[in-house]
Structure formats: structure tokens, C-alpha cells
Amino acid sequence: MKLAARVEKVQPSLTLAIAAKAKAMKAVGIDVCSFSAGEPDFDTPEHIKTAAKQALDAGKTKYGPSSGEPKLREAIAHKLKTENALGYTADNVMVTNGGKHSLFNLMLALIEAEDEVIIPAPYWLSYPEMVRLASGVPVIVSTDEKNNYKITPEQLRQAITPKTRLFILNSPCNPTGAVYTPDEIKALAEVVVEKDILVVSDEIYEKIIYDGAKHLSIGAVSAEVFDRTIISSGFAKAYSMTGWRIGYLAGPVEIIKAATTIQGHSTSNVCTFAQYGAIAALSSPQDCVEEMRQAFALRRQVMFERLNAIPGLTCPKPDGAFYLFVNITQTGMTSLEFCDALLESEQVAAIPGIAFGADDCIRLSYATNMATVEKGMERLDKFVRSHS
Ligand code: GLU
């Protein structure tokens, strides 16, 4: 079967594949400890589910505007203005089928053949593939574990060429958990303005930060960088709404209009009644977000301590998201060998770092309950000791 050349250039999503494998093993009764997908184990908070059920009962079951329900776009613009100091109105916002889809729409709206997109590595695995699907060229810039895997302004400046269209910034970062400080964000913003490129800021983990780390949206640094910024985010991580598929894109009106046109010819609109759940998420007290954040903070502490007691494994303490990015160099295994053997012999699911552009690491998600964290760390300890 002859397929389009564009699919030959991309790999299936390994995060989704390994998470599905772990779920399938669990379904047949195997006692798997899954640290694979970044999916909070909490149920969606009750008031959000109630709002969606009420919308369903009220007949919000029809097509809606491609850009999203007006009330939700207004609520998102209000959030971005009051929490992030980004002066958007509803016209600057579109609602998408998850954060992944907002980035995908954006790539199709902005990238032409051969346009370069700068992606710091380790990166979330879908970024390069989306760029390739849009016929662009991912330019991968490797970052250093000693610098907590953050791209420096010099590295960004050096990677920029006349073909550079876009820089993808992800803070807090999936997979490393790194959070750029406000000063680091300001220094990157200077380069974006000086070189006159666009930046997409993926802020899906903004609410999940620890130990007093501060989230600054790059678009809030100056009027010049605001004009060159597009925000991508969603409800999945902060409100435990992964299956709802509600994300958003915010940025200059021309870009939002173009991305909305693309959405209008692909998915039409996001599930109408689900958007009412998202409105409730933004317009209700945020205690549920803080409760989940505190649970993640506790798990992070336990997992980090247990991990660093295992000889041969190291990782920086993450300031955000819900992942540990663990260096496995001393085991002598590739990340795929390590993860395959770990799942096979100890029934612990982890994501090989090769998927994120770092074959000397594995990613462990602690968006799972404490009992699994404890049991999984014991098994990981046994595995590493028996392989050293
Ligand atoms: N973003 C999550 C992760 O990295 C969900 C899976 C995916 O969409 O890749 O695990």
C-alpha cells in the first residue's frame, strides 16, 4: 500500500503506545506499576462533571463555533489577562481538541516547507513530529543536565537562521520537569525580539510547580515579545481532564483566525457540552487544582528520594510537571533496552528517553497513587541492582 510520504517521516507516539500496553497488561490481571503516560490518576472534579452533565441535559448537543463556545473563549481570555498578564480578548483565543491539537493547528497555520522550528531537547515527543507533518524542519538543540536541561539564550541565538520561523518553549517542561526562572524567560524573550522570530509557549503544566518556583509567561515580558507569542495550553493536567480533550491557543488575531479555519475543515468544533465543563473549571474556586498539586508534590518527594538511593541512577530535582527524568548511563543499557527489560521482568512501565531525544535517560511519571510509587520504586531498585 502506497502511503503519503509525510507519514513515512513520523513515528507513532511512544507515550501513548506504552501507556496502552501497560493498561492492557493490567486488564488481564498483571500487577503493573505504570509510570508511563502523564495522566493524573484523579477523577475530574465533581463540579466540572456536573456542569457538563447539565449542559448535556440542556441540549448543548449541537455544532458550535469552530473557535469555541464564546463563554469559554471569554473565560480563557480573562484567565490569561488576570493570571498571566497577557492582554488578550476572546478574539485572541480558540478552543481546540486538547493541547496537542492546538499545537498541531498552529504548525499547519504557520509552517511552510523547509521552515525551521527550534526545539530544545529533551522535548515532548510530539513536537518534532508535528513540525514534520507540517513539512517543516525541526532544529533540535541539546541542553545540558548540569543546566537542568534548559536552553540558554546563547544556544537559542546560535540556532537561529534566516529560515527560522518558530521557537518552542515548554516551561514547566515535559519530560524533564524543568521550570525556567523569570530571569531566564526574560533573557530568551530578548533573543526572540532581537531576531524577530515567533515563540510558541506550551504552558500546559503551569499550575503544577513546586518549592516556590514561579511561572512567567514569555508573552508578558514586553509588548514586543507579546506580539510574537502564541500560548498553547489546556485543561487536561491541572483539572485532570485528559479524556475530555479541551485545549486552547491564544495569540495574534490573524494566527488564531488561520488556525480556526484549519479546525473548521478538520474537527469542526470541540465537543459542545464538554466545553461547559471547562467553563466551570475556570469560573469556580481553584481548590481542586491546589489539592492535586499538593498530592503530586508529596509523590515527587518520595519518588525523588527513593530514586536517588538506587546506585547508578541520577536525576535533577524537577521544579514542575509530574515527571522524573532519570539518567541511566551507568547501567550501560540504551533507554529502550532498559524500559523493555524493566517491563518484562518487573512489570514497571516507563518511557524510554530516546522518544524525547535523550537515549541516556528514562521518564517516570508520578501522576499515579502513592502505593504504586512505593511498589514501583522497590521493583526499580531490585531491577537496577540485579543488572549491575
Ligand atoms: N502528554 C502526556 C505524556 O507526555 C500524554 C501522552 C501524550 O499525549 O503524549 O505522557
Side-chain angles (χ1 to χ4, degrees):
M1 175 70 74
K2 188 178 176 316
L3 298 174
R6 76 177 71 83
V7 276
E8 306 283 331
K9 291 191 211 154
V10 298
Q11 298 293 323
S13 167
L14 210 54
T15 44
L16 297 184
I18 295 177
K21 187 170 176 184
K23 275 186 188 168
M25 287 169 76
K26 271 187 194 168
V28 295
I30 301 172
D31 176 22
V32 181
C33 293
S34 183
F35 303 128
S36 51
E39 173 163 53
D41 56 318
F42 306 105
D43 196 2
T44 302
E46 218 44 55
H47 64 282
I48 299 175
K49 293 200 292 184
T50 303
K53 285 182 214 163
Q54 283 171 351
L56 192 53
D57 289 341
K60 302 285 185 194
T61 54
K62 305 292 182 194
Y63 292 133
S66 288
S67 54
E69 290 296 293
K71 269 192 183 163
L72 179 54
R73 294 170 71 204
E74 273 160 30
I76 293 166
H78 178 76
K79 176 248 178 272
L80 292 170
K81 191 177 280 180
T82 52
E83 289 185 8
N84 304 94
L86 298 164
Y88 292 129
T89 68
D91 290 343
N92 298 103
V93 176
M94 75 180 287
V95 183
T96 60
N97 287 279
K100 192 181 272 184
H101 188 227
S102 73
L103 290 162
F104 191 74
N105 282 332
L106 179 69
M107 297 303 163
L108 286 188
L110 281 184
I111 304 304
E112 294 208 76
E114 309 303 320
D115 278 352
E116 293 178 356
V117 178
I118 298 175
I119 305 174
Y123 46 75
W124 180 49
L125 75 177
S126 293
Y127 296 150
E129 308 299 38
M130 288 178 187
V131 173
R132 287 189 189 101
L133 285 169
S135 307
V137 179
V139 174
I140 308 299
V141 178
S142 291
T143 62
D144 198 345
E145 182 179 347
K146 286 192 214 82
N147 194 34
N148 277 332
Y149 297 114
K150 295 178 192 176
I151 190 170
T152 64
E154 293 70 37
Q155 282 181 306
L156 176 60
R157 190 176 280 112
Q158 274 171 20
I160 295 171
T161 75
K163 288 188 169 172
T164 305
R165 182 80 172 121
L166 189 62
F167 161 47
I168 304 184
L169 176 64
N170 175 215
S171 177
C173 173
N174 175 8
T176 65
V179 179
Y180 287 72
T181 66
D183 282 347
E184 288 165 343
I185 294 282
K186 285 175 195 160
L188 293 173
E190 268 179 34
V191 181
V192 167
V193 173
E194 175 197 316
K195 296 286 188 180
D196 194 17
I197 59 168
L198 294 168
V199 54
V200 55
S201 184
D202 179 352
E203 305 189 358
I204 189 105
Y205 294 96
E206 97 180 275
K207 300 280 181 186
I208 305 169
I209 49 179
Y210 314 106
D211 296 345
K214 294 257 175 303
H215 171 76
L216 173 66
S217 180
I218 191 164
V221 170
S222 67
E224 290 77 18
V225 76
F226 178 71
D227 292 342
R228 293 170 173 81
T229 299
I230 307 102
I231 307 291
S232 171
S233 194
F235 293 80
K237 313 296 182 183
Y239 299 97
S240 200
M241 291 170 68
T242 47
W244 292 60
R245 310 314 299 139
I246 310 181
Y248 57 87
L249 204 56
V253 171
E254 313 86 278
I255 295 178
I256 296 302
K257 272 193 183 158
T260 302
T261 301
I262 291 165
Q263 180 152 289
H265 286 295
S266 52
T267 60
S268 297
N269 63 269
V270 175
C271 171
T272 303
F273 57 85
Q275 293 185 59
Y276 285 81
I279 295 169
L282 286 183
S283 55
S284 308
Q286 300 296 297
D287 309 0
C288 57
V289 179
E290 177 56 14
E291 276 162 29
M292 290 189 265
R293 191 198 67 81
Q294 285 181 12
F296 293 137
L298 211 57
R299 296 161 183 187
R300 157 183 171 266
Q301 192 59 32
V302 170
M303 199 183 227
F304 180 74
E305 278 167 16
R306 298 290 296 269
L307 191 116
N308 278 294
I310 302 176
L313 299 185
T314 57
C315 77
K317 194 169 191 180
D319 285 325
F322 33 57
Y323 308 107
L324 291 191
F325 204 56
V326 183
N327 193 313
I328 56 158
T329 311
Q330 292 179 50
T331 67
M333 284 182 258
T334 66
S335 63
L336 268 173
E337 286 166 355
F338 188 100
C339 290
D340 279 350
L342 182 64
L343 186 58
E344 184 68 24
S345 67
E346 300 297 333
Q347 294 77 52
V348 173
I351 308 286
I354 185 107
F356 311 105
D359 199 19
D360 50 356
C361 293
I362 60 163
R363 189 191 78 176
L364 300 175
S365 161
Y366 51 86
T368 184
N369 62 60
M370 192 65 101
T372 303
V373 170
E374 302 262 6
K375 186 158 54 167
M377 287 299 103
E378 249 166 58
R379 293 181 185 181
L380 181 62
D381 187 305
K382 180 170 157 241
F383 173 79
V384 174
R385 285 176 202 273
S386 67
H387 282 78
S388 57

